[in-house]
Amino acid sequence: KVIASRSDGFIYYFAVSGVTGARKATPRDLTQNLKRIKRITKNPVLVGFGVSEPGQARAICNFSDGVNVGSGIIARIGKHNNAKRIFNYVSSLVKAIQ
């Protein structure tokens, strides 16, 4: 409640604790926590940390106002040195969160 009362712009919710990076699954309590936060703030709530797959991004956008998939994109760039594959992956992420 303190963070929500002092925030201006948006609230950035960390989906997982620890360091940023791709994860296979999102935490079980993510949806419940997002609903709780959205009840106490009028500011948009964006989710990041650990989101790397289009399905994850799509599911999170059902309960949040946006999602940050930066680590997923960076990991894919490091994994594939192929511009078309990277473009297709980033495109699938963007389509998932529209």
Side-chain angles (χ1 to χ4, degrees):
K1 289 183 181 181
V2 171
I3 293 170
S5 70
R6 295 182 182 183
S7 69
D8 186 24
F10 67 90
I11 294 176
Y12 187 74
Y13 181 81
F14 287 32
V16 295
S17 60
V19 297
T20 187
R23 305 289 197 288
K24 297 267 185 212
T26 56
R28 292 183 197 153
D29 61 352
L30 178 65
T31 301
Q32 177 184 352
N33 290 342
L34 289 173
K35 287 180 180 179
R36 188 175 329 141
I37 293 167
K38 291 188 70 64
R39 281 194 299 265
I40 62 173
T41 186
K42 292 181 179 160
N43 291 334
V45 180
L46 287 81
V47 178
F49 273 57
V51 184
S52 62
E53 296 298 326
Q56 291 172 333
R58 188 177 308 106
I60 290 170
C61 279
N62 287 326
F63 300 98
S64 71
D65 298 298
V67 63
N68 180 330
V69 293
S71 294
I73 293 170
I74 299 302
R76 189 60 57 114
I77 290 170
K79 190 176 190 181
H80 299 288
N81 191 12
N82 178 305
K84 184 172 179 157
R85 285 179 129 177
I86 293 167
F87 176 81
N88 289 339
Y89 172 75
V90 172
S91 295
S92 68
L93 283 170
V94 170
K95 287 176 186 174
I97 59 178
Q98 288 183 334

